[in-house]
Amino acid sequence: MPLRIDRTKRLTLDAFLVTLALIFSYVEVLLPFFPGLPGVKLGLANLVVLIALYRLGAKDAFLINLVRILLAGLLFAGAYGLLYSLAGGIFSFLVMVVLKNTGHFSVPGVSMAGGVAHNLAQLAVAMLMVQNVNLLFYYPVLVLSGIVTGILIGIGAVLLSKYLHRLS
Amino acid sequence: MQTNTTIFKILKKADFLLLGALLLFAFAGSILLARAQKAPGETVRVTVDGEVYGEYPLSQDAEIFLPPTNDSSADGFHGENVIVIAGGEVRMREADCKNQVCVRTGSISRPGQTIVCLPHRVVVTILKGEEVLDAVTH
Ligand SMILES: [Zn+2]
């Protein structure tokens, strides 16, 4: 359920979540989750997006996600990486919103679908950018890693959300 | 422990159905790909910006140096990459790209396997002798 809070408090919360997501993005730049496998990351920033999606609703979550991707892209990745993370971030967000709205999935389930969608969108962009179909060979690995990281992030979001609730 | 039980309680039937479908999707794909990769690779193809830079026999040890270029096209700057063919395997030994994904990919030796340096738009693919999946693109 989205929280009923006034506008100033909402903006403060949005800014706080963007900052948190940026910190997570930076942590991931420093510590790759599965070194050696291209494009496989834990997606810690998605933790924040999930919490925003369930606590503040799709509109705020989308804005937080977009600002997070643009800032992280400018700070840590550069133009090519920005395109790559925009594709992953927006596609996985759309998938998560659709699944959440069906009401049939739990937070870890929604996050799992988001993780897989994120990886597959990035694979598609990579295939377009380097114009090579052979990248398809990575897709089973990317689906599996999306499942694992998505579920972990979803469980993390449930726990973190409970903790944040206790704070406020 | 109490939090663990609540997490298991919140998982729904649709979660498990989706998980099963995704696992099947990955599994079916890996079987198809494993079949395509059975034959030993023969040729190493290096492409830059989607264009073939060179093809090299996998059986012959070699070092391929892709020098940095600085063209004025929209694609801009490509950095430096060093590809090494040794003992029937190929790896990206060095690259001055930001993410180092290509270097961490390690060695490849089977047809269809690929090393990508996305920032530099460099792709190293192993071919069976003729094209593997290229028929799809042309
Ligand atoms: Zn690279």
Short mmCIF file of all heavy atoms in Angstrom, two decimals, chain B residues 47-91:
data_model
loop_
_atom_site.label_atom_id
_atom_site.label_comp_id
_atom_site.label_asym_id
_atom_site.label_seq_id
_atom_site.Cartn_x
_atom_site.Cartn_y
_atom_site.Cartn_z
N THR B 47 35.76 -8.80 -34.62
CA THR B 47 35.06 -7.71 -35.28
C THR B 47 35.15 -6.45 -34.44
O THR B 47 35.20 -6.50 -33.21
CB THR B 47 33.57 -8.01 -35.52
OG1 THR B 47 32.93 -8.17 -34.25
CG2 THR B 47 33.37 -9.28 -36.32
N VAL B 48 35.21 -5.31 -35.12
CA VAL B 48 35.19 -4.02 -34.46
C VAL B 48 34.04 -3.23 -35.08
O VAL B 48 33.97 -3.12 -36.31
CB VAL B 48 36.51 -3.26 -34.65
CG1 VAL B 48 36.47 -1.91 -33.94
CG2 VAL B 48 37.68 -4.10 -34.14
N ASP B 49 33.13 -2.74 -34.25
CA ASP B 49 31.97 -2.00 -34.74
C ASP B 49 31.13 -2.83 -35.71
O ASP B 49 30.58 -2.30 -36.67
CB ASP B 49 32.41 -0.73 -35.47
CG ASP B 49 32.35 0.46 -34.53
OD1 ASP B 49 31.55 0.41 -33.58
OD2 ASP B 49 33.10 1.42 -34.75
N GLY B 50 31.07 -4.12 -35.51
CA GLY B 50 30.26 -4.97 -36.37
C GLY B 50 30.92 -5.34 -37.69
O GLY B 50 30.37 -6.08 -38.49
N GLU B 51 32.14 -4.83 -37.93
CA GLU B 51 32.84 -5.16 -39.17
C GLU B 51 34.00 -6.11 -38.87
O GLU B 51 34.66 -5.97 -37.85
CB GLU B 51 33.40 -3.89 -39.80
CG GLU B 51 32.35 -2.80 -39.89
CD GLU B 51 32.39 -2.07 -41.22
OE1 GLU B 51 33.51 -1.94 -41.78
OE2 GLU B 51 31.32 -1.66 -41.68
N VAL B 52 34.23 -7.04 -39.78
CA VAL B 52 35.29 -8.03 -39.54
C VAL B 52 36.65 -7.34 -39.60
O VAL B 52 37.00 -6.68 -40.58
CB VAL B 52 35.22 -9.16 -40.57
CG1 VAL B 52 36.37 -10.14 -40.35
CG2 VAL B 52 33.89 -9.89 -40.48
N TYR B 53 37.42 -7.51 -38.52
CA TYR B 53 38.75 -6.93 -38.45
C TYR B 53 39.78 -7.96 -38.95
O TYR B 53 40.74 -7.62 -39.63
CB TYR B 53 39.04 -6.53 -37.01
CG TYR B 53 40.42 -5.97 -36.75
CD1 TYR B 53 40.68 -4.62 -36.87
CD2 TYR B 53 41.46 -6.81 -36.34
CE1 TYR B 53 41.94 -4.10 -36.62
CE2 TYR B 53 42.73 -6.31 -36.09
CZ TYR B 53 42.96 -4.96 -36.22
OH TYR B 53 44.21 -4.45 -35.96
N GLY B 54 39.53 -9.22 -38.58
CA GLY B 54 40.43 -10.27 -39.04
C GLY B 54 39.96 -11.63 -38.60
O GLY B 54 39.17 -11.75 -37.67
N GLU B 55 40.41 -12.69 -39.28
CA GLU B 55 40.11 -14.06 -38.86
C GLU B 55 41.41 -14.83 -38.72
O GLU B 55 42.32 -14.68 -39.53
CB GLU B 55 39.19 -14.73 -39.90
CG GLU B 55 37.80 -14.13 -39.88
CD GLU B 55 36.82 -14.86 -40.78
OE1 GLU B 55 37.26 -15.72 -41.56
OE2 GLU B 55 35.63 -14.55 -40.69
N TYR B 56 41.49 -15.64 -37.65
CA TYR B 56 42.76 -16.29 -37.32
C TYR B 56 42.51 -17.75 -36.99
O TYR B 56 41.50 -18.07 -36.37
CB TYR B 56 43.41 -15.60 -36.12
CG TYR B 56 43.44 -14.09 -36.25
CD1 TYR B 56 42.33 -13.33 -35.87
CD2 TYR B 56 44.54 -13.44 -36.79
CE1 TYR B 56 42.33 -11.94 -36.02
CE2 TYR B 56 44.55 -12.06 -36.94
CZ TYR B 56 43.44 -11.32 -36.55
OH TYR B 56 43.44 -9.96 -36.71
N PRO B 57 43.39 -18.66 -37.38
CA PRO B 57 43.20 -20.08 -37.01
C PRO B 57 43.39 -20.27 -35.50
O PRO B 57 44.33 -19.72 -34.92
CB PRO B 57 44.28 -20.81 -37.80
CG PRO B 57 45.29 -19.77 -38.16
CD PRO B 57 44.58 -18.46 -38.22
N LEU B 58 42.50 -21.06 -34.90
CA LEU B 58 42.56 -21.29 -33.45
C LEU B 58 43.77 -22.16 -33.09
O LEU B 58 44.26 -22.13 -31.97
CB LEU B 58 41.26 -21.96 -32.99
CG LEU B 58 41.00 -22.09 -31.50
CD1 LEU B 58 40.97 -20.72 -30.83
CD2 LEU B 58 39.68 -22.79 -31.25
N SER B 59 44.22 -22.94 -34.08
CA SER B 59 45.30 -23.89 -33.81
C SER B 59 46.67 -23.21 -33.75
O SER B 59 47.65 -23.81 -33.31
CB SER B 59 45.31 -24.96 -34.91
OG SER B 59 45.36 -24.34 -36.16
N GLN B 60 46.72 -21.95 -34.20
CA GLN B 60 48.02 -21.30 -34.29
C GLN B 60 48.13 -20.18 -33.25
O GLN B 60 47.34 -19.24 -33.26
CB GLN B 60 48.15 -20.71 -35.70
CG GLN B 60 49.58 -20.48 -36.14
CD GLN B 60 49.58 -19.95 -37.58
OE1 GLN B 60 48.88 -20.46 -38.46
NE2 GLN B 60 50.37 -18.93 -37.82
N ASP B 61 49.10 -20.30 -32.36
CA ASP B 61 49.25 -19.29 -31.32
C ASP B 61 49.54 -17.93 -31.94
O ASP B 61 50.33 -17.82 -32.87
CB ASP B 61 50.40 -19.68 -30.37
CG ASP B 61 50.02 -20.89 -29.52
OD1 ASP B 61 48.93 -21.45 -29.75
OD2 ASP B 61 50.82 -21.28 -28.64
N ALA B 62 48.88 -16.93 -31.42
CA ALA B 62 49.07 -15.59 -31.98
C ALA B 62 48.69 -14.53 -30.96
O ALA B 62 48.02 -14.81 -29.96
CB ALA B 62 48.21 -15.41 -33.23
N GLU B 63 49.15 -13.33 -31.20
CA GLU B 63 48.78 -12.20 -30.37
C GLU B 63 48.24 -11.11 -31.29
O GLU B 63 48.90 -10.72 -32.24
CB GLU B 63 50.00 -11.70 -29.60
CG GLU B 63 49.64 -10.77 -28.46
CD GLU B 63 50.88 -10.34 -27.67
OE1 GLU B 63 51.52 -11.21 -27.06
OE2 GLU B 63 51.19 -9.14 -27.69
N ILE B 64 47.00 -10.70 -31.03
CA ILE B 64 46.38 -9.70 -31.90
C ILE B 64 46.25 -8.40 -31.13
O ILE B 64 45.60 -8.36 -30.09
CB ILE B 64 45.00 -10.17 -32.38
CG1 ILE B 64 45.12 -11.54 -33.07
CG2 ILE B 64 44.36 -9.15 -33.30
CD1 ILE B 64 43.92 -12.42 -32.90
N PHE B 65 46.88 -7.39 -31.63
CA PHE B 65 46.87 -6.09 -30.95
C PHE B 65 45.93 -5.14 -31.69
O PHE B 65 46.13 -4.86 -32.86
CB PHE B 65 48.30 -5.53 -30.91
CG PHE B 65 48.39 -4.18 -30.27
CD1 PHE B 65 48.20 -4.03 -28.90
CD2 PHE B 65 48.64 -3.04 -31.04
CE1 PHE B 65 48.29 -2.78 -28.31
CE2 PHE B 65 48.72 -1.79 -30.45
CZ PHE B 65 48.54 -1.67 -29.08
N LEU B 66 44.87 -4.69 -31.01
CA LEU B 66 43.98 -3.71 -31.62
C LEU B 66 44.38 -2.34 -31.07
O LEU B 66 44.16 -2.04 -29.91
CB LEU B 66 42.53 -3.99 -31.26
CG LEU B 66 41.94 -5.33 -31.68
CD1 LEU B 66 40.48 -5.40 -31.29
CD2 LEU B 66 42.06 -5.52 -33.18
N PRO B 67 45.00 -1.52 -31.93
CA PRO B 67 45.49 -0.23 -31.45
C PRO B 67 44.33 0.71 -31.17
O PRO B 67 43.26 0.57 -31.74
CB PRO B 67 46.33 0.27 -32.62
CG PRO B 67 45.76 -0.40 -33.82
CD PRO B 67 45.22 -1.72 -33.35
N PRO B 68 44.54 1.68 -30.27
CA PRO B 68 43.50 2.67 -30.03
C PRO B 68 43.31 3.52 -31.29
O PRO B 68 44.27 3.85 -31.96
CB PRO B 68 44.05 3.51 -28.88
CG PRO B 68 45.47 3.15 -28.72
CD PRO B 68 45.74 1.88 -29.45
N THR B 69 42.07 3.83 -31.60
CA THR B 69 41.81 4.71 -32.73
C THR B 69 41.05 5.92 -32.22
O THR B 69 40.39 5.86 -31.20
CB THR B 69 40.94 4.03 -33.80
OG1 THR B 69 39.72 3.62 -33.19
CG2 THR B 69 41.64 2.84 -34.40
N ASN B 70 41.15 6.98 -32.91
CA ASN B 70 40.47 8.20 -32.49
C ASN B 70 39.82 8.84 -33.71
O ASN B 70 40.30 9.81 -34.25
CB ASN B 70 41.49 9.15 -31.86
CG ASN B 70 40.78 10.14 -30.95
OD1 ASN B 70 39.55 10.21 -30.93
ND2 ASN B 70 41.55 10.89 -30.20
N ASP B 71 38.71 8.22 -34.15
CA ASP B 71 38.07 8.79 -35.34
C ASP B 71 37.01 9.80 -34.93
O ASP B 71 36.57 9.86 -33.79
CB ASP B 71 37.49 7.70 -36.25
CG ASP B 71 36.51 6.82 -35.52
OD1 ASP B 71 35.84 7.31 -34.60
OD2 ASP B 71 36.41 5.64 -35.89
N SER B 72 36.59 10.60 -35.89
CA SER B 72 35.67 11.69 -35.57
C SER B 72 34.21 11.26 -35.72
O SER B 72 33.31 12.07 -35.57
CB SER B 72 35.96 12.89 -36.48
OG SER B 72 35.96 12.46 -37.83
N SER B 73 33.98 9.97 -36.02
CA SER B 73 32.60 9.51 -36.20
C SER B 73 31.87 9.55 -34.87
O SER B 73 32.45 9.75 -33.81
CB SER B 73 32.59 8.08 -36.74
OG SER B 73 32.98 7.19 -35.73
N ALA B 74 30.58 9.35 -34.93
CA ALA B 74 29.75 9.40 -33.73
C ALA B 74 30.19 8.34 -32.71
O ALA B 74 30.00 8.53 -31.51
CB ALA B 74 28.29 9.20 -34.10
N ASP B 75 30.74 7.24 -33.19
CA ASP B 75 31.14 6.17 -32.28
C ASP B 75 32.35 6.57 -31.44
O ASP B 75 32.56 6.03 -30.38
CB ASP B 75 31.48 4.90 -33.07
CG ASP B 75 30.22 4.34 -33.71
OD1 ASP B 75 29.15 4.52 -33.12
OD2 ASP B 75 30.33 3.76 -34.79
N GLY B 76 33.14 7.50 -32.00
CA GLY B 76 34.21 8.09 -31.21
C GLY B 76 35.39 7.18 -30.97
O GLY B 76 35.81 6.43 -31.83
N PHE B 77 35.87 7.21 -29.74
CA PHE B 77 37.14 6.62 -29.39
C PHE B 77 37.05 5.13 -29.10
O PHE B 77 36.18 4.68 -28.38
CB PHE B 77 37.68 7.34 -28.16
CG PHE B 77 38.95 6.79 -27.63
CD1 PHE B 77 40.15 7.10 -28.24
CD2 PHE B 77 38.93 5.97 -26.52
CE1 PHE B 77 41.33 6.59 -27.73
CE2 PHE B 77 40.11 5.45 -26.02
CZ PHE B 77 41.31 5.77 -26.63
N HIS B 78 37.93 4.37 -29.69
CA HIS B 78 38.07 2.96 -29.31
C HIS B 78 39.42 2.79 -28.65
O HIS B 78 40.43 3.24 -29.18
CB HIS B 78 37.99 2.05 -30.53
CG HIS B 78 36.66 2.08 -31.19
ND1 HIS B 78 35.58 1.43 -30.68
CD2 HIS B 78 36.23 2.71 -32.29
CE1 HIS B 78 34.54 1.65 -31.46
NE2 HIS B 78 34.90 2.43 -32.45
N GLY B 79 39.43 2.12 -27.53
CA GLY B 79 40.70 1.96 -26.82
C GLY B 79 41.50 0.79 -27.33
O GLY B 79 41.31 0.31 -28.44
N GLU B 80 42.35 0.32 -26.46
CA GLU B 80 43.32 -0.70 -26.83
C GLU B 80 42.85 -2.08 -26.34
O GLU B 80 42.34 -2.19 -25.23
CB GLU B 80 44.61 -0.31 -26.11
CG GLU B 80 45.82 -1.05 -26.50
CD GLU B 80 47.00 -0.51 -25.69
OE1 GLU B 80 47.38 0.65 -25.88
OE2 GLU B 80 47.50 -1.26 -24.83
N ASN B 81 43.01 -3.11 -27.17
CA ASN B 81 42.70 -4.48 -26.76
C ASN B 81 43.81 -5.42 -27.21
O ASN B 81 44.30 -5.29 -28.33
CB ASN B 81 41.39 -4.96 -27.39
CG ASN B 81 40.18 -4.22 -26.84
OD1 ASN B 81 39.92 -3.09 -27.21
ND2 ASN B 81 39.46 -4.86 -25.95
N VAL B 82 44.19 -6.34 -26.35
CA VAL B 82 45.17 -7.35 -26.74
C VAL B 82 44.53 -8.73 -26.62
O VAL B 82 44.14 -9.16 -25.53
CB VAL B 82 46.44 -7.28 -25.87
CG1 VAL B 82 47.46 -8.31 -26.36
CG2 VAL B 82 47.03 -5.89 -25.90
N ILE B 83 44.39 -9.41 -27.76
CA ILE B 83 43.77 -10.74 -27.80
C ILE B 83 44.88 -11.77 -27.99
O ILE B 83 45.77 -11.58 -28.81
CB ILE B 83 42.78 -10.81 -28.98
CG1 ILE B 83 41.69 -9.76 -28.82
CG2 ILE B 83 42.17 -12.21 -29.09
CD1 ILE B 83 41.03 -9.37 -30.12
N VAL B 84 44.81 -12.85 -27.21
CA VAL B 84 45.85 -13.87 -27.30
C VAL B 84 45.23 -15.22 -27.67
O VAL B 84 44.27 -15.66 -27.03
CB VAL B 84 46.61 -14.00 -25.96
CG1 VAL B 84 47.59 -15.16 -26.01
CG2 VAL B 84 47.36 -12.71 -25.67
N ILE B 85 45.78 -15.85 -28.70
CA ILE B 85 45.40 -17.22 -29.04
C ILE B 85 46.55 -18.12 -28.59
O ILE B 85 47.69 -17.92 -29.01
CB ILE B 85 45.18 -17.40 -30.56
CG1 ILE B 85 44.16 -16.39 -31.08
CG2 ILE B 85 44.71 -18.82 -30.87
CD1 ILE B 85 43.99 -16.42 -32.59
N ALA B 86 46.25 -19.07 -27.70
CA ALA B 86 47.30 -19.95 -27.22
C ALA B 86 46.71 -21.30 -26.83
O ALA B 86 45.71 -21.36 -26.12
CB ALA B 86 48.02 -19.33 -26.02
N GLY B 87 47.32 -22.37 -27.31
CA GLY B 87 46.90 -23.73 -26.95
C GLY B 87 45.45 -24.02 -27.30
O GLY B 87 44.76 -24.71 -26.56
N GLY B 88 44.96 -23.49 -28.40
CA GLY B 88 43.59 -23.76 -28.83
C GLY B 88 42.54 -22.98 -28.08
O GLY B 88 41.36 -23.31 -28.13
N GLU B 89 42.96 -21.94 -27.34
CA GLU B 89 42.02 -21.10 -26.61
C GLU B 89 42.30 -19.63 -26.91
O GLU B 89 43.42 -19.26 -27.24
CB GLU B 89 42.15 -21.31 -25.10
CG GLU B 89 41.70 -22.69 -24.64
CD GLU B 89 41.71 -22.79 -23.12
OE1 GLU B 89 42.54 -22.12 -22.46
OE2 GLU B 89 40.87 -23.54 -22.60
N VAL B 90 41.27 -18.82 -26.76
CA VAL B 90 41.43 -17.38 -26.98
C VAL B 90 41.04 -16.65 -25.71
O VAL B 90 40.07 -17.02 -25.04
CB VAL B 90 40.48 -16.84 -28.08
CG1 VAL B 90 40.97 -15.49 -28.57
CG2 VAL B 90 40.35 -17.83 -29.19
N ARG B 91 41.77 -15.61 -25.37
CA ARG B 91 41.33 -14.75 -24.28
C ARG B 91 41.71 -13.30 -24.57
O ARG B 91 42.56 -13.03 -25.42
CB ARG B 91 41.93 -15.20 -22.95
CG ARG B 91 43.42 -15.02 -22.84
CD ARG B 91 44.00 -15.81 -21.67
NE ARG B 91 45.42 -15.95 -21.84
CZ ARG B 91 46.34 -15.12 -21.32
NH1 ARG B 91 45.96 -14.09 -20.63
NH2 ARG B 91 47.62 -15.34 -21.52
#
